[in-house]
Amino acid sequence: MARPATNSRQRFLEATQTLLRQGGLSAAAVNDVVSASQAPKGSFYHYFPAGKTQLVAEALLLYRDVVADYLNEELGSSAHLNARIENLFKRVAARMAVSDFRESCAVGAVVLDLSSQDEELRGLCNNILESWVESAATLLHELSPAARKPAATHLVQLLEGAQLTARACGNARPLKQAAAAFSIYLASFTEMSA
Amino acid sequence: MARPATNSRQRFLEATQTLLRQGGLSAAAVNDVVSASQAPKGSFYHYFPAGKTQLVAEALLLYRDVVADYLNEELGSSAHLNARIENLFKRVAARMAVSDFRESCAVGAVVLDLSSQDEELRGLCNNILESWVESAATLLHELSPAARKPAATHLVQLLEGAQLTARACGNARPLKQAAAAFSIYLASFTEMSA
């Protein structure tokens, strides 16, 4: 199969993101990443001299930016708040549908694989989840300043929980249900401030 | 260390539950289960002739009942609805604290490890999540009949998302935040029916 001319480093990172989304840390063994990337194995330790932890950390940082773009594009649009929430969950559903609901949030899958030896990655995952909360809080601008961070925290938890249950049932319904529930939650704040 | 006189089958299942809660399917290899169980390896295939899938399925069904008990005890108490929700999330937090927030929902961790070869376990996980929704729906008896199932669905998604984020930060705060958010969500229904 012809591939676009990306360099090996990029291929390793893309393959890692996909494997993390499928099965977390345990799915992203270096040999599996090399095999999935179709990049020359000899170059792996040139790009990632510190091995798997470095590879996973860099892939998670790229994944952080993908999700931040989704948040900015969907929650940052000019649509009504409820429509923006619905569009965000629809976007996540569309991405999951590409893999027939077999790939979900890379950070979520890594978090549920962490052992006590993975403190560095645990801290990184926590920072990424918090960065999404910060991004979302800014974009929920209709809410009072005090309500934005709790609402964004709720949104990020719900995105994780809904992706997990969507993988269990293999369809987008949990993401629709989560969007509807979050809009009901939000209504209490927007009514208060109205 | 002295152990209570449980039989080998029980020990295998308990060890499997713990390993699933720590790292999902990938953490529960048969050799690791045998080693963690301190039960004689020779008896493993006597109790689980179909191997790992049978072992994991039976462990998940036991775990289903543990969570159903939590739901019945906390959501089924005579306390006010908001107190019952708070108690449920506190109970989950207390259980996670025992492992220093390194163990979470066994079903959630398995779901994020599923591959396309694990259709049987995916169906089982989905059934278990739905059984919790059914249990919770009955126990949210203050809500109108039409609101109970959506609310219970939201609760189960949020329990999964909050446990995941609690593992990332290593403390109970996400579970407290989830309980507070769920109470805000619930208020819209109880106000409507008041």
Side-chain angles (χ1 to χ4, degrees):
Chain A
M1 197 174 71
R3 286 193 57 116
T6 49
N7 68 34
S8 298
R9 187 174 176 282
Q10 183 68 17
R11 287 193 199 172
F12 288 132
L13 289 170
E14 280 173 15
T16 304
Q17 265 194 52
T18 302
L19 292 170
L20 292 177
R21 296 182 73 225
Q22 287 169 357
L25 222 40
S26 58
V30 170
N31 281 340
D32 295 330
V33 169
V34 169
S35 165
S37 69
Q38 303 177 6
K41 183 168 186 173
S43 63
F44 181 84
Y45 286 100
H46 168 70
Y47 291 113
F48 304 100
K52 182 173 171 180
T53 301
Q54 181 192 359
L55 171 75
V56 169
E58 291 191 26
L60 288 175
L61 288 170
L62 287 175
Y63 184 77
R64 173 196 64 189
D65 296 342
V66 170
V67 175
D69 286 348
Y70 280 26
L71 293 171
N72 282 320
E73 287 165 29
E74 302 304 343
L75 295 185
S77 82
S78 59
H80 181 276
L81 181 55
N82 283 348
R84 277 150 46 213
I85 296 298
E86 201 181 326
N87 290 340
L88 175 64
F89 279 92
K90 271 188 188 162
R91 181 90 177 259
V92 173
R95 183 155 188 204
M96 288 187 76
V98 172
S99 66
D100 202 16
F101 295 87
R102 292 199 172 97
E103 296 175 8
S104 50
C105 175
V107 174
V110 167
V111 164
L112 296 192
D113 264 353
L114 293 170
S115 77
S116 54
Q117 280 82 55
D118 302 313
E119 274 306 306
E120 185 184 336
L121 288 175
R122 179 156 84 140
L124 177 64
C125 288
N126 190 44
N127 289 345
I128 293 174
L129 290 165
E130 287 187 353
S131 77
W132 293 338
V133 168
E134 294 297 337
S135 297
T138 308
L139 298 163
L140 297 171
H141 54 79
E142 287 91 341
L143 304 187
S144 71
R148 282 175 206 164
K149 187 135 181 214
T153 301
H154 186 39
L155 178 62
V156 168
Q157 290 191 1
L158 201 48
L159 279 165
E160 294 297 335
Q163 286 180 79
L164 191 155
T165 51
R167 277 189 73 168
C169 70
N171 65 58
R173 198 159 56 111
L175 293 154
K176 280 182 209 159
Q177 292 166 326
F182 191 69
S183 289
I184 290 171
Y185 163 89
L186 278 183
S188 70
F189 294 106
T190 45
E191 276 160 23
M192 276 190 277
S193 65
Chain B
M1 197 174 74
R3 287 193 56 117
T6 49
N7 68 32
S8 298
R9 187 174 176 282
Q10 185 67 14
R11 287 192 199 174
F12 288 132
L13 289 170
E14 280 174 15
T16 304
Q17 265 194 51
T18 302
L19 292 170
L20 292 177
R21 297 183 72 226
Q22 287 168 357
L25 222 40
S26 57
V30 170
N31 280 340
D32 295 330
V33 169
V34 169
S35 166
S37 70
Q38 303 176 6
K41 182 167 187 174
S43 63
F44 181 84
Y45 286 100
H46 167 70
Y47 291 114
F48 305 101
K52 182 174 171 178
T53 300
Q54 182 191 359
L55 171 74
V56 169
E58 291 191 25
L60 288 175
L61 288 170
L62 287 175
Y63 184 77
R64 174 196 64 189
D65 296 341
V66 170
V67 175
D69 286 347
Y70 280 25
L71 292 170
N72 282 321
E73 286 164 32
E74 303 303 343
L75 295 186
S77 83
S78 60
H80 182 274
L81 182 54
N82 283 349
R84 276 147 51 209
I85 296 298
E86 201 181 325
N87 290 342
L88 175 64
F89 280 92
K90 271 188 189 162
R91 180 93 177 257
V92 174
R95 183 155 190 203
M96 287 187 76
V98 172
S99 66
D100 202 17
F101 295 87
R102 292 198 173 97
E103 296 175 9
S104 50
C105 175
V107 174
V110 168
V111 165
L112 297 192
D113 264 354
L114 293 170
S115 76
S116 54
Q117 280 83 56
D118 302 312
E119 274 307 306
E120 185 183 335
L121 288 175
R122 178 155 85 141
L124 177 64
C125 287
N126 190 44
N127 289 345
I128 294 174
L129 290 165
E130 286 186 353
S131 77
W132 294 338
V133 168
E134 294 298 337
S135 297
T138 309
L139 297 163
L140 297 171
H141 54 79
E142 287 91 340
L143 305 185
S144 72
R148 283 176 205 163
K149 185 134 184 216
T153 301
H154 185 39
L155 178 62
V156 169
Q157 290 190 1
L158 201 48
L159 279 166
E160 294 297 334
Q163 287 179 78
L164 190 156
T165 52
R167 279 189 74 168
C169 70
N171 64 58
R173 198 158 56 111
L175 294 154
K176 281 182 208 159
Q177 292 166 326
F182 191 69
S183 289
I184 290 171
Y185 163 89
L186 278 184
S188 69
F189 294 107
T190 46
E191 276 159 26
M192 275 190 277
S193 65

